[in-house]
Structure formats: C-alpha cells, structure tokens
Amino acid sequence: MGNSCSCQIINSRYRQIVRLPSNWLLPALQTNRRHYSSQEHQQPKSIVLKTPKGTKDYSDREMAIRAKVFDTITRIFKKHGAVTIDTPVFELTEILAGKYGEDSKLIYDLADQGGESCSLRYDLTVPFARFVAMNGKEYQNIKRYHIGKVYRRDQPAMTKGRLREFYQCDFDIAGTYDPMIPDAEVLRILCEALTALQIGPYTIKINHRKILDGIFEVCEVPQADIRSISSAVDKLDKLPWDEVKREMVEERGLSTSVADSIGEYVKLQGGKELLDLLSKDQGIINNKTAMQGLADMRLLYDYLEVLDVQDKLRLDLSLARGLDYYTGVIYEAITPASTEGGVGSVAAGGRYDDLVGMFAGRNKKGQPSMKVPCVGVSLGVERIFSILAAHQKGQQVKSKETEVLIIAVGRDLIKEQMRLAKDLWDNNIKASFMFKNKPKLEKQWAMCEKDQIPFAVIIGQDELDAKQVRLKDMRIKDKAQGGGIMLQRADLVKELKTRLKDF
Amino acid sequence: MGNSCSCQIINSRYRQIVRLPSNWLLPALQTNRRHYSSQEHQQPKSIVLKTPKGTKDYSDREMAIRAKVFDTITRIFKKHGAVTIDTPVFELTEILAGKYGEDSKLIYDLADQGGESCSLRYDLTVPFARFVAMNGKEYQNIKRYHIGKVYRRDQPAMTKGRLREFYQCDFDIAGTYDPMIPDAEVLRILCEALTALQIGPYTIKINHRKILDGIFEVCEVPQADIRSISSAVDKLDKLPWDEVKREMVEERGLSTSVADSIGEYVKLQGGKELLDLLSKDQGIINNKTAMQGLADMRLLYDYLEVLDVQDKLRLDLSLARGLDYYTGVIYEAITPASTEGGVGSVAAGGRYDDLVGMFAGRNKKGQPSMKVPCVGVSLGVERIFSILAAHQKGQQVKSKETEVLIIAVGRDLIKEQMRLAKDLWDNNIKASFMFKNKPKLEKQWAMCEKDQIPFAVIIGQDELDAKQVRLKDMRIKDKAQGGGIMLQRADLVKELKTRLKDF
C-alpha cells in the first residue's frame, strides 16, 4: 500500500479521521514490543473509537435516571418480600440450548479458547431456573428479584431502546402454591412498578396458554403446528388479521377454514365479561384444556379485583408470547404508541411450571425429579429509560451530589483547602475543591453553578488569620447576601450540618 | 454405545448422576422439534448443572453482604463529588489490544458470529479511557466511579476470592490539574473506603514509576529490558530476593552486578524518611527521571499528612505493578495474610497520563491530539467479600425486609389476607402472606421466625366479623403478650407505621 507510513484513527462521534505516523504507538509501548503476543504486534491500521454495535455508554445524567428507575423498582420488589440473587453473565451453552425457540440464533457465544463452551445469558429466567434446580431444597420456595444485563444479537434500534446489551429487572416466585395466588401478586407488583415509574398510561394484555392451546385444538390445528401458528397469531399486535391469515395459510400451510375459525377467537379482546362469553362457547365447553385455562383466569380476576388492579388488564386472545417455556397465564404491558416517547412493550412474563424440572433430571418413573412451578415478570427498563428521558428532555439532570465547594481567594491555599475538606469529609459532608494552586475565582464560582453545589465556603489569608471562614448559600440569588456570612472556623461543621438537614 | 437409551444429568452440587430415558425432553419441546436449529437437535447426552469455571452464583445472603459493601463504597465516592458512568461488558477487541502486557492472554473473546470482533472487558480503566477519548471536551474533567464486573481467564482460586468473573469498584479523576493534588484525594478515598468497610488493618504500599525507572537507569539496565526486569522486581512480595535475582540473571539475562545494584535499591521500604535517604544517593541525584519521581512523592506526602492518611502508607521500592499504562505514582492496598480471612491485595491503582491519548489519535506534529492525565484506584471487592464473609461466619444474615406477615386462622381467608396486604402495600408497608387457601398455623409462625419478620397480623372469622385484627410483636418473646393486642381494622396501618418508625 502506498500509504504504509500512516494509519488512521477514526473518532466515530466527530466523524473525524486523524492521520498518524507509523510510529504512533507511545514510547512506553514501543520499548515493550517484545512482550506482545504476535496478535498484538499486528496493531490494526485504524482504530474506530466506538462501542460494539447495539451497545452504548451511559453518561452520568443517564445513570442518574437509571439509578432512580432501579431504586423505584427495587423498593417495590422488597416491599413484596423478595430477596435478590446474582448469576454469571455467561452460562454453559448447553444450559441455554432449547429454551428460546426460533430466537436461539440471537444468543452470543464466547470464543473457543480452550475449556467449556459458554454463551452470554439471553434472559434472567433460564439462569434463575438453573439456580433453583442446582440448589435443591433450599430454594424451592423463593421470591427473588434480579436486575442485570442480558445479551441478544438482534437488529438494534437504539432510538426505540432496542439494544444488544440491555437491562432486565425480573421478579419471580418459585414454589408449589395454591392456584393463581402468586400469579395475582406478580401482576399487582407489575402495576405498582409501572405506576411508581410514572411512565404514563399503560395496559397489561393478558392471556392463558391453555386457553390458546384449547382454541387451537377446537379449531383442529394439527398438534405439531401449534407453536408455529401461535407465533403467527402473536403478530396480530402489529399486523392486520388478513396478513396474519395469509401467513398461516400460505406460509404455514393451514387450511382457510381452520384459519377463519382461529380468527373468530383470537380477535376477541375485553374484560372479565369475555370469560363469561367464552364459557358459553360450545367448542370451548367441550375442550378440557381451554376450560382449565378459563377456570384459572376466573380465579385470577377475582384476586385482581381484591388487589385493585383489574382495570389495568385487558384479556387479549391474540397474545401468545414467543418463548417455549410458558405453561399458564402470560402477559405483556404496553404503553400507547401515541404517547410522547411511547414505545410499545415495557414488560412481559407469565407462568413456567416445567423449566426447573428440565434441569433437574428424571426419576425412575420418567417424571422430573424435581418440580418447582414458577411465575414471574421481566421489566425491560431500556424502554422505560427512553420514555423517562423523553419526559425529562430539556430539564437539567443533577448527577453530582456535592454539597460544599471550598473556594480559595488568593494563591497557594491548597493545603488549607485540603485541611478544611478533610474536616468536612470526616463529618460526612460532601465537599470538593479545585485542584489548583492558583485557582481563578470566577472559575470556582462557575464550578459551583455548573454542578449546582448549594454551599460555598470561602477562605482567604484574612479569614485564615482570624480563624474564620465565609459561608454562602448559592441557592439564594439575593444580592443582600453579599460575600456570605462570616463564621468561626470551629463552628463551620455544625452550621453546615444544620443547613444541610433542611436541604 | 450400549447405553444409548439413556443420558445423564449431573448435579454438581450433590454429585448425583441421574439416568434419563432418551425421550427426557418435555412434550412441549418435542412437539416443537422442527423449529430447532440443527445444533439444538443434537442435545448433549449429559447436562452438567453448574456455572462456568471460575464463576459463581451469589445467594441472597451473599448479596446482602455485597449490597452493604457497594453502598459503603458508593457513599464515599459520592462524598468526594464523583458521578458514575456505565460502559458495555464487551468492547471492540482492538480497544483492549496492547494495554495489559503479558496478561493480554487472559482476555475473553466473543465467538465470530459475523460482524465485529469483540472481547469481554478486562478492567474498567481502559473502557473509561476510551469513553473519555470518545466524548471529547465534555469529559476532559471528571471524577467518576464505576462498579462493574470484569473478566479474566485466569486460574481461579475461589476460596481466596480469585474468580474469572468478578466485580471491580473504580474511582478515577481525569483532567489536567496541579501535581499530586488529585493523587492525594484518590489515596484519601481509598483509606476512607477500606476503613469504612471494617476489613481490619491494612497498609498501602506506594511507589513511583519514575523512581523505579530512574533506579533501573542508574543501575544501567538496558532500556529494552526495563519492563521485563520491572515484572521480576514486582515478585518480591512473594519471593525472596535470591530467587528474584536468579530470575533476572538466568531467565532475563541481566549481569550479576547490575542485579545486585538493583537489589540495593528495591529492598528499601519505609516512610517519608526514605525519600530523604534517596535524595542523598549519588546515583539518584544524577538521574533526572528519579529526581522527578522523588519531587512528586515529597509533595504527595505533604498532602497526605494534611489529609491525615500518611500513616497508612509504606513506601516500597519493589512495588512495580504489571500493567503497561501506569506513568507516575502506583499503589496497592494489602491486608496482613495472618488476619482471619486475610487475602493479600484488596485494591490497587496509580497514575496513567497517556492512556486517553493512545485512543485520541495524533496531531500533525505527532503529539497526541488530546492529553487527559488520569489517576485512579480499583477496589477488588471479591476479596473484601471473602474477608467480611469470614468475619460474619456463623452470624445470621438477614436478606429479606418483610415487616409484616398476615396470618390466617382458619381456611379460605385468602381474599381477606390479600385485602389486608393491599392496604399495607398501598401504605408502603412490606407485607407478605402464605400462598395457601388452608395454611397451617404452625407453618405461618415458622415463616415469621425463619424470615425474622418483626410483626404478625392475625385474622380469623371472629376478627373479621368484628372488623378487628390482632397484632403481635414477634421480637418480644414475653409470653404475657399472648396472642397479641386486638385492634380496630381501620387503625392497623397507623399503628404499624408508628411501631415501624421506632424499628
């Protein structure tokens, strides 16, 4: 290459290309060359300064919003008696295999560098089931929450909050209990969380795998096609019935009459009264599976009425949920797309009674050696961040908690500033100072302003000689305050503590 | 294989091998088979139920300890005006290349599944430098902390807290400031954190890359061998001098006389007085690099005296730190190995003035187009967990925050329990109840006991008819309390709020 004496660094943010001399590596690195592996010797000719596709950095302001979201959610999870556990970011590949249906192709694998075959976790549910199966008796009953990152090699849509690395906030109840009681509490928790997060109006679509499977049986869908047809039905939130029908018939090989009879059912939406309607349907009455699902839903609605969240729910017979592991009630929380920043689904979950058993092995009779029924919900907080960030647009987000800036008037007072800072730190007061021997006064005021620091403590040689300090409340714009009040140095901590208490 | 009709599930915790029929997959999965990729068809014959090598799950009790550690550290970081940012768990591979010297072989790579070449982050420092370089002006001055997991394919030693996936808590100050002022604050923060964590006695070994490099120059170590000899010197905390000398001479090709003169220097340890001693050394006096390092250290010690942490530090000329990117002061906090659970190094860090510049490209004169000096520290909290877990051994760790258990006397009161729970939840009281229609009384009391729930609210048909509840303080073992006090149902929330305030 004619250009071999230079290489490029591309800064993706500024779309700026910098030409470099071929010896651009720092001296420290050059002297070190002989320790590099051969791979490192071949430094790439250009470094693209970016995060991997579908991932992003979170700035301090975004983190402030995120911390608020996590605090709100965690508070509610704890209110409902949950503990938290943590699992590794990657699992043995075989643990994840066969759990995600068609989406398994989105799993990230680690490179084979010798040793075990591992993959990044795709959700927090499968690792939780693995944890319960592994820990035997001790965790057969647990309410746990887990906030952690999960990974999917999906096509990213950053503005909609669809990323390849994203957080999920999961709450699950594992254990053998009486029907629909934990299910009702999970839905109550979901409503509490979405209300507390102030994301605006939302609806929880709800359905039951057994009702859906029963409908497919009633409509005489071949057993082997049920999941495939189920996936098609699930698209009804995005596509009109005609297109879904076309897919069922043309792509998935269903007869038109079967598709039409499915259509009669899955177009149904409504409240509790829809359960009554279904109970009068001759097809449903004769289908055991569907009747079990209906009985579950009646009981659930009774409980949800007591828990005062039934008005948030909408029975939607087209809701199917793609994942293989659901066995009972399924739900999905959505925000109206018309809302500013509204982005569709913000949470989803359901009952999965067989997943732990899949890990636990089988006894001599061929039954799972352990059966731990589970129900849970996962909040997709990236979408919630998007909504909240849209709400907060233009508002200033405070990311720093500094309470006091120690301002020096004059030069070489750095040790005095440190001495003062030490006293404040010892008393748990959040204090900072500028790291300069000759700090400019206007720059120190500007720092106060920029970081929204409420108090300034000012020292100069006069104050030091008199063992005094000046204290100024930066929130008061009144000029009468002047340079602030004069205090005995020895009284500063007490005075600040009093003022910060009211803060 | 004769055994083809069965496969095995190995539960690693119980070392239990379960023989499975070949059709052990659940029916739901079997009907679904045709949707699986060919890879999934080939279900492994045995599933080992474990986390990947060098990783672990954290139980609710371990998480309670972890939360306390993170809260303590975060509180101190925020006291010092830090904000937090987050970066992805994996970076483009080229971002990490050439930063970790000999340890680069420990980096985890993601599999090539099309697209970019990515690796799991090895520390939080390099991603931070990449972030600063990428975000230009906005972050040229920042105090940031970051608590996150990092990944190293090292030989794990679980009992010592050495894992392949582990948390680091980093605090760094980026920006151009007057010498040693931010360095002093970082060391103050480290001391505040280690003291607040109550891990027992600790010492911070400190050295300066320029003093070390100066010594190597004085002893006439060839320039190209400096990092290699530096790595050998770094082993002096584990090996006696004779062995380190042997390695220098026999493996790294140094002459005996050069090794001996290095030995005279690197065996030196002490307090501030050691700086005076070095200032009188004829070799050092004539070496510009070493004299710069000495001047830095004098200034640092002045500041550390003001900040009242100088007694925690010990100057140790053998401290070298393996990483390539350090350019100035370096330090490492250690706990005495004799302490119960003591495990050596618990934190480390130093100044790295050139790392951001390595990402920022070069200007026409060949200088880095951006220079953002940095100094920071990383706390290795897994080791701190090990120490604290050893301290807490035998003590009961409370991981659940439930304040009230709603106990039913008699059957079919579940909706009444829910109604009561709803009222308490609406008032932010942490309430639970057993998910049973016919809960056994003794099991409900046992749940109170096991989860250390302080209050029990008891309802039976009599109480319901009278619109009353019974309230029992479970912390009082006095039998005089009997079945608890009787309250009007309408007064329960107020009464509980009063009692929980004093809790």
Side-chain angles (χ1 to χ4, degrees):
Chain A
M1 301 226 309
N3 207 0
S4 65
C5 67
S6 76
C7 60
Q8 294 180 355
I9 288 200
I10 300 167
N11 180 318
S12 72
R13 188 160 166 132
Y14 298 102
R15 291 277 155 232
Q16 173 193 4
I17 296 177
V18 192
R19 300 225 162 257
L20 301 172
S22 60
N23 63 344
W24 72 279
L25 285 173
L26 293 180
L29 277 172
Q30 290 182 317
T31 58
N32 247 327
R33 279 228 166 144
R34 72 190 190 92
H35 299 301
Y36 294 166
S37 71
S38 63
Q39 190 195 338
E40 283 163 26
H41 265 295
Q42 294 151 13
Q43 273 286 346
K45 287 282 175 201
S46 69
I47 284 190
V48 181
L49 218 51
K50 63 183 281 291
T51 61
K53 182 178 179 183
T55 69
K56 58 167 286 191
D57 295 323
Y58 289 81
S59 72
D60 53 328
R61 290 174 301 279
E62 289 169 311
M63 289 297 278
I65 296 174
R66 195 166 104 175
K68 215 178 132 194
V69 169
F70 287 168
D71 285 351
T72 302
I73 292 173
T74 305
R75 184 174 52 76
I76 288 163
F77 289 166
K78 285 183 178 173
K79 192 164 92 182
H80 287 267
V83 298
T84 189
I85 64 156
D86 191 21
T87 62
V89 158
F90 50 85
E91 293 276 340
L92 295 181
T93 300
E94 61 188 2
I95 296 286
L96 306 188
K99 309 297 185 302
Y100 302 108
E102 294 175 9
D103 286 341
S104 291
K105 63 180 183 295
L106 303 181
I107 293 173
Y108 274 99
D109 296 324
L110 295 192
D112 179 4
Q113 294 171 289
E116 301 157 336
S117 168
C118 298
S119 303
L120 298 187
R121 65 186 173 205
Y122 181 88
D123 64 10
L124 302 174
T125 311
V126 169
F128 173 59
R130 193 263 307 144
F131 175 89
V132 172
M134 223 174 105
N135 287 284
K137 269 192 180 169
E138 199 186 350
Y139 288 100
Q140 295 220 0
N141 294 300
I142 182 175
K143 276 182 184 175
R144 87 88 178 76
Y145 70 91
H146 189 180
I147 297 180
K149 285 176 173 176
V150 301
Y151 298 86
R152 299 182 186 179
R153 296 181 61 256
D154 214 339
Q155 199 51 41
M158 311 290 273
T159 51
K160 288 185 187 167
R162 191 165 78 224
L163 293 158
R164 289 181 156 199
E165 175 190 58
F166 60 99
Y167 267 97
Q168 286 193 333
C169 300
D170 279 27
F171 179 96
D172 293 80
I173 300 175
T176 303
Y177 301 115
D178 283 341
M180 310 319 283
I181 306 176
D183 310 59
E185 186 166 355
V186 169
L187 285 163
R188 161 81 193 192
I189 289 166
L190 176 55
C191 291
E192 280 190 35
L194 294 179
T195 302
L197 288 168
Q198 299 184 291
I199 55 163
Y202 64 89
T203 304
I204 300 171
K205 296 195 290 182
I206 188 166
N207 198 4
H208 197 296
R209 271 277 164 98
K210 288 189 175 168
I211 295 180
L212 205 57
D213 286 351
I215 288 171
F216 294 141
E217 284 169 27
V218 170
C219 300
E220 299 183 337
V221 176
Q223 190 68 32
D225 292 339
I226 283 185
R227 280 289 152 269
S228 160
I229 295 304
S230 187
S231 295
V233 166
D234 206 35
K235 295 180 183 170
L236 271 176
D237 58 343
K238 293 186 194 78
L239 301 177
W241 166 247
D242 285 348
E243 279 194 54
V244 172
K245 182 183 164 187
R246 196 196 50 73
E247 180 179 327
M248 285 180 177
V249 175
E250 292 176 22
E251 292 172 31
R252 312 209 181 220
L254 216 62
S255 77
T256 311
S257 64
V258 171
D260 282 337
S261 57
I262 292 173
E264 292 306 306
Y265 286 110
V266 298
K267 279 187 272 186
L268 297 173
Q269 292 189 5
K272 202 180 171 180
E273 77 291 344
L274 184 52
L275 296 174
D276 299 327
L277 195 76
L278 288 172
S279 306
K280 290 174 196 143
D281 181 280
Q282 206 52 50
I284 299 285
I285 289 172
N286 291 322
N287 183 280
K288 201 179 146 196
T289 313
M291 287 304 277
Q292 283 174 351
L294 268 185
D296 273 357
M297 291 301 276
R298 278 188 186 286
L299 191 54
L300 180 63
Y301 262 89
D302 278 359
Y303 292 151
L304 294 177
E305 211 166 328
V306 175
L307 296 179
D308 197 24
V309 292
Q310 82 286 9
D311 61 313
K312 300 288 183 193
L313 287 135
R314 193 177 71 219
L315 204 55
D316 182 336
L317 294 190
S318 75
L319 179 73
R321 309 274 317 132
L323 300 178
D324 281 343
Y325 49 67
Y326 290 119
T327 55
V329 60
I330 44 179
Y331 32 81
E332 185 176 349
I334 52 166
T335 55
S338 56
T339 311
E340 187 204 4
V343 284
S345 172
V346 289
R351 174 161 285 283
Y352 51 102
D353 284 348
D354 299 329
L355 192 56
V356 174
M358 283 174 71
F359 290 119
R362 302 229 149 186
N363 61 21
K364 284 175 189 166
K365 291 178 190 164
Q367 302 295 318
S369 66
M370 181 196 288
K371 189 166 161 68
V372 185
C374 297
V375 62
V377 68
S378 179
L379 281 95
V381 283
E382 309 298 333
R383 296 183 171 198
I384 291 168
F385 297 152
S386 296
I387 296 174
L388 295 182
H391 288 186
Q392 299 215 346
K393 218 170 219 171
Q395 289 173 39
Q396 211 172 359
V397 180
K398 187 167 153 58
S399 62
K400 212 172 282 186
E401 297 184 6
T402 310
E403 295 162 332
V404 178
L405 187 71
I406 300 163
I407 291 182
V409 183
R411 55 169 64 181
D412 296 328
L413 295 172
I414 189 73
K415 284 193 197 171
E416 296 304 330
Q417 288 174 284
M418 281 186 180
R419 213 178 305 277
L420 205 46
K422 179 204 157 289
D423 283 355
L424 301 186
W425 292 335
D426 282 345
N427 287 282
N428 284 317
I429 295 168
K430 296 166 185 149
S432 281
F433 52 91
M434 204 171 243
F435 296 145
K436 296 277 182 187
N437 290 306
K438 300 170 194 169
K440 291 202 176 108
L441 201 51
E442 61 270 32
K443 289 211 170 168
Q444 296 176 86
W445 292 124
M447 187 171 163
C448 246
E449 195 72 30
K450 179 170 165 278
D451 292 343
Q452 303 173 57
I453 301 171
F455 295 101
V457 170
I458 305 120
I459 52 169
Q461 200 53 54
D462 290 351
E463 285 82 2
L464 284 171
D465 292 343
K467 294 192 192 329
Q468 292 184 318
V469 293
R470 274 191 293 139
L471 174 64
K472 193 169 173 179
D473 187 330
M474 300 304 293
R475 297 162 302 171
I476 303 172
K477 299 293 167 195
D478 184 0
K479 292 216 168 165
Q481 199 189 184
I485 58 159
M486 202 65 113
L487 277 180
Q488 289 303 308
R489 167 76 156 80
D491 297 333
L492 177 62
V493 167
K494 203 178 147 210
E495 178 68 25
L496 276 171
K497 286 212 159 186
T498 310
R499 290 186 179 225
L500 287 165
K501 206 183 285 171
D502 311 327
F503 181 51
Chain B
M1 304 228 305
N3 207 1
S4 66
C5 67
S6 75
C7 59
Q8 295 180 355
I9 287 199
I10 300 169
N11 180 318
S12 72
R13 190 165 164 129
Y14 298 101
R15 292 275 156 235
Q16 173 194 6
I17 295 177
V18 193
R19 298 223 165 258
L20 300 171
S22 58
N23 63 346
W24 72 280
L25 285 172
L26 293 180
L29 277 172
Q30 289 181 318
T31 58
N32 247 326
R33 279 231 167 139
R34 73 189 189 94
H35 298 301
Y36 294 166
S37 71
S38 64
Q39 190 196 338
E40 282 163 26
H41 265 296
Q42 295 151 14
Q43 273 285 347
K45 287 284 173 200
S46 68
I47 284 189
V48 180
L49 218 50
K50 63 183 280 292
T51 61
K53 182 177 179 183
T55 69
K56 59 167 285 189
D57 295 323
Y58 289 80
S59 72
D60 54 328
R61 291 175 300 279
E62 289 169 310
M63 288 297 277
I65 297 175
R66 195 166 105 176
K68 215 178 132 194
V69 168
F70 287 167
D71 285 351
T72 302
I73 292 174
T74 304
R75 184 175 51 75
I76 288 163
F77 289 166
K78 285 184 178 172
K79 194 164 91 181
H80 287 267
V83 297
T84 188
I85 64 156
D86 191 21
T87 62
V89 158
F90 50 85
E91 293 276 340
L92 296 181
T93 301
E94 60 188 2
I95 296 287
L96 306 188
K99 309 298 186 301
Y100 303 108
E102 294 176 8
D103 286 341
S104 291
K105 62 181 183 295
L106 304 180
I107 293 173
Y108 275 98
D109 295 324
L110 295 191
D112 179 4
Q113 293 170 290
E116 300 156 335
S117 168
C118 298
S119 302
L120 299 186
R121 65 186 173 206
Y122 182 87
D123 64 11
L124 302 174
T125 312
V126 169
F128 173 59
R130 193 262 308 143
F131 175 89
V132 172
M134 226 174 102
N135 287 283
K137 269 191 179 168
E138 197 185 352
Y139 287 99
Q140 295 221 358
N141 294 300
I142 182 174
K143 275 181 184 176
R144 87 88 179 76
Y145 71 91
H146 189 179
I147 297 180
K149 285 176 173 177
V150 300
Y151 299 86
R152 298 182 186 179
R153 296 181 61 256
D154 213 339
Q155 199 50 40
M158 313 290 272
T159 51
K160 290 185 185 166
R162 191 166 77 224
L163 294 158
R164 289 180 157 200
E165 176 189 57
F166 60 98
Y167 267 98
Q168 286 195 331
C169 300
D170 278 27
F171 179 97
D172 293 80
I173 300 176
T176 304
Y177 301 116
D178 283 342
M180 310 318 286
I181 306 175
D183 311 60
E185 185 165 355
V186 168
L187 285 163
R188 161 81 193 193
I189 289 166
L190 176 55
C191 292
E192 280 190 34
L194 294 179
T195 302
L197 288 168
Q198 299 184 291
I199 55 163
Y202 64 90
T203 304
I204 300 171
K205 295 195 290 182
I206 187 164
N207 198 5
H208 196 295
R209 271 277 165 98
K210 287 189 177 171
I211 295 180
L212 205 57
D213 286 351
I215 288 171
F216 294 140
E217 285 169 26
V218 170
C219 299
E220 299 183 336
V221 177
Q223 191 67 32
D225 292 340
I226 283 184
R227 280 289 152 269
S228 160
I229 295 303
S230 186
S231 295
V233 165
D234 206 36
K235 296 181 184 170
L236 271 175
D237 59 343
K238 292 187 194 77
L239 301 176
W241 166 248
D242 285 346
E243 278 194 57
V244 171
K245 182 184 164 186
R246 195 197 51 74
E247 180 178 327
M248 285 179 178
V249 175
E250 291 175 22
E251 292 172 30
R252 312 209 181 219
L254 215 60
S255 77
T256 311
S257 65
V258 171
D260 282 336
S261 57
I262 293 172
E264 292 306 305
Y265 286 110
V266 299
K267 279 186 273 187
L268 297 173
Q269 292 188 6
K272 201 181 170 180
E273 78 290 346
L274 185 52
L275 296 175
D276 299 326
L277 194 77
L278 288 171
S279 306
K280 289 176 196 143
D281 181 279
Q282 207 52 48
I284 301 284
I285 288 172
N286 291 322
N287 183 281
K288 203 180 144 195
T289 314
M291 288 303 279
Q292 282 174 351
L294 269 184
D296 274 358
M297 290 302 276
R298 277 186 186 287
L299 191 54
L300 180 63
Y301 261 89
D302 278 0
Y303 293 151
L304 294 176
E305 211 166 326
V306 174
L307 296 179
D308 198 23
V309 293
Q310 82 287 9
D311 61 313
K312 299 288 184 194
L313 287 134
R314 194 177 72 219
L315 204 54
D316 182 335
L317 294 191
S318 75
L319 179 73
R321 308 277 313 131
L323 300 178
D324 282 343
Y325 50 67
Y326 291 119
T327 55
V329 61
I330 45 180
Y331 32 82
E332 185 176 350
I334 53 165
T335 55
S338 56
T339 310
E340 187 205 3
V343 283
S345 171
V346 289
R351 174 161 284 282
Y352 50 103
D353 284 347
D354 299 329
L355 192 56
V356 174
M358 283 174 72
F359 291 119
R362 301 230 149 185
N363 60 21
K364 284 175 189 166
K365 290 178 192 166
Q367 302 295 319
S369 65
M370 182 197 286
K371 189 166 160 66
V372 185
C374 297
V375 62
V377 69
S378 179
L379 282 96
V381 283
E382 309 299 331
R383 296 185 169 197
I384 292 168
F385 297 151
S386 297
I387 297 174
L388 294 182
H391 288 186
Q392 299 216 345
K393 217 169 219 172
Q395 289 174 40
Q396 211 172 358
V397 180
K398 186 167 155 61
S399 62
K400 212 173 283 185
E401 297 185 5
T402 311
E403 296 162 332
V404 179
L405 187 72
I406 299 163
I407 290 182
V409 183
R411 56 170 64 181
D412 295 327
L413 296 172
I414 189 74
K415 282 193 198 172
E416 296 305 330
Q417 288 174 286
M418 280 186 180
R419 212 179 305 277
L420 205 47
K422 179 204 157 290
D423 284 354
L424 301 187
W425 291 335
D426 282 344
N427 286 283
N428 284 317
I429 295 169
K430 296 167 183 145
S432 280
F433 53 91
M434 204 171 243
F435 296 145
K436 296 276 183 189
N437 290 307
K438 300 170 195 168
K440 290 201 177 110
L441 201 51
E442 61 270 33
K443 287 212 171 168
Q444 297 176 85
W445 291 124
M447 186 171 165
C448 246
E449 194 73 31
K450 179 170 166 278
D451 293 344
Q452 303 173 58
I453 302 172
F455 295 101
V457 170
I458 303 122
I459 51 171
Q461 200 53 53
D462 290 350
E463 285 82 2
L464 283 171
D465 292 343
K467 292 192 191 332
Q468 292 185 319
V469 293
R470 273 190 296 137
L471 174 64
K472 193 170 174 179
D473 187 329
M474 301 303 293
R475 297 162 303 171
I476 302 171
K477 298 294 167 193
D478 183 0
K479 292 215 169 165
Q481 200 189 182
I485 58 159
M486 201 66 110
L487 277 180
Q488 289 304 308
R489 167 75 156 81
D491 297 334
L492 177 64
V493 167
K494 203 177 147 211
E495 178 67 24
L496 276 171
K497 285 213 160 187
T498 309
R499 290 184 179 227
L500 286 165
K501 207 183 285 173
D502 312 327
F503 181 52

